[in-house]
Amino acid sequence: MTNIKQISCYISSVPRLSRSNFTQTKRHIKLNIMKQTFGIIGSGNIGKAVAGHLLKAGYQVTLSNHTGAESLSATIAELGAGAKAGTTAEAAQADIVVLALPWSEVPSLTTLRDWTNRIVIDATNHFITYYPDFEVADLDGKASSEIVAQWLPAARIVKAFNTLFFKILAADPKVANGNRVLFVSGDEPMAKKEVAEVIKDLGFAVIDLGSLAYGSKLQQAKGAVATLNLIQIS
């Protein structure tokens, strides 16, 4: 595997590279090989499943919930190296933030930070009751992720990780001769591409469903691809 020393030696061998260009080039390469940090807001089944995959792939994860970091000691011990507990505010400072909290708690995040340009993965489902009824909120025809985008102004929202039952999501994504599929949707192409690359790094296959207005409506609770468990054959 290529390391920093090898990259530095390569850069040093490039002829007539000015000091300023050398510094910029070296910094660019170093940034590209560094993994993003992740903050997960919500420590339930989906949050823990996503955290587990991220940690196995070498990402640093801050896990948080509304009751405080002290309540997460057993979960952090179970997740292992690379995981730490934090407040929701600390989790929201990560490079990429994952929302895995109950729908009723999402509006409380509006004032948590300035969300401008932050990549936010919306893994929520808009349930207002759970078993046995699983009622969803009336969103007046909008996709749930469009509502999330209103609550987190100027964030770069990408819908992902919400369609699979948590036990299936937590399982090894490499199945038989293929990879389990995760769907993504979003309105900001570069954010969606970055999230898709991370998901592939975790071992999943990715299907892009388009915009939040169209694609995330298919993904959300009771949408056309909700609970759909597909395998992309290699």
Side-chain angles (χ1 to χ4, degrees):
M1 188 170 115
T2 303
N3 57 37
I4 295 290
K5 185 176 179 181
Q6 289 171 320
I7 291 171
S8 297
C9 289
Y10 169 77
I11 294 173
S12 299
S13 69
V14 177
R16 295 184 296 278
L17 190 62
S18 71
R19 182 180 295 273
S20 62
N21 285 339
F22 174 87
T23 302
Q24 290 172 5
T25 303
K26 187 174 181 181
R27 180 175 179 273
H28 175 72
I29 293 174
K30 186 175 181 180
L31 286 173
N32 279 343
I33 65 173
M34 289 173 63
K35 288 182 178 287
Q36 305 96 322
T37 59
F38 280 80
I40 301 178
I41 301 178
S43 59
N45 292 326
I46 297 297
K48 288 188 287 188
V50 174
H53 286 300
L54 290 169
L55 291 164
K56 287 176 186 175
Y59 294 92
Q60 298 292 307
V61 175
T62 299
L63 191 66
S64 69
N65 62 21
H66 71 283
T67 57
E70 299 78 10
S71 67
L72 294 170
S73 56
T75 300
I76 296 302
E78 179 185 346
L79 288 171
K84 68 176 182 178
T87 64
T88 54
E90 289 168 339
Q93 297 303 315
D95 297 326
I96 298 178
V97 180
V98 181
L99 306 186
L101 68 171
W103 180 253
S104 62
E105 296 177 18
V106 182
S108 68
L109 304 179
T110 301
T111 58
L112 189 62
R113 57 157 297 148
D114 178 359
W115 292 99
T116 303
N117 291 325
R118 185 67 47 174
I119 294 179
V120 176
I121 299 175
D122 177 20
T124 67
N125 281 309
H126 59 306
F127 291 117
I128 54 174
T129 67
Y130 294 94
Y131 181 84
D133 298 321
F134 294 102
E135 294 181 70
V136 295
D138 182 357
L139 304 178
D140 197 27
K142 287 187 175 292
S144 62
S145 287
E146 290 183 286
I147 304 299
V148 172
Q150 292 175 5
W151 287 334
L152 307 184
R156 301 156 73 195
I157 305 292
V158 179
K159 187 74 168 177
F161 291 117
N162 72 300
T163 56
L164 293 174
F165 180 56
F166 76 91
K167 290 184 179 180
I168 296 174
L169 178 63
D172 189 342
K174 297 178 181 179
V175 182
N177 296 320
N179 301 76
R180 183 165 284 113
V181 170
L182 287 181
F183 301 99
V184 299
S185 59
D187 295 336
E188 212 286 328
M190 292 308 297
K192 189 162 52 173
K193 181 179 179 181
E194 188 167 341
V195 171
E197 288 303 314
V198 169
I199 291 173
K200 291 175 186 176
D201 193 30
L202 305 185
F204 293 90
V206 175
I207 294 178
D208 183 349
L209 294 179
S211 68
L212 292 180
Y214 177 77
S216 75
K217 193 175 286 189
L218 300 176
Q219 292 169 259
Q220 68 189 29
K222 302 192 177 183
V225 302
T227 74
L228 191 61
N229 181 20
L230 300 179
I231 305 298
Q232 185 181 83
I233 303 301
S234 302

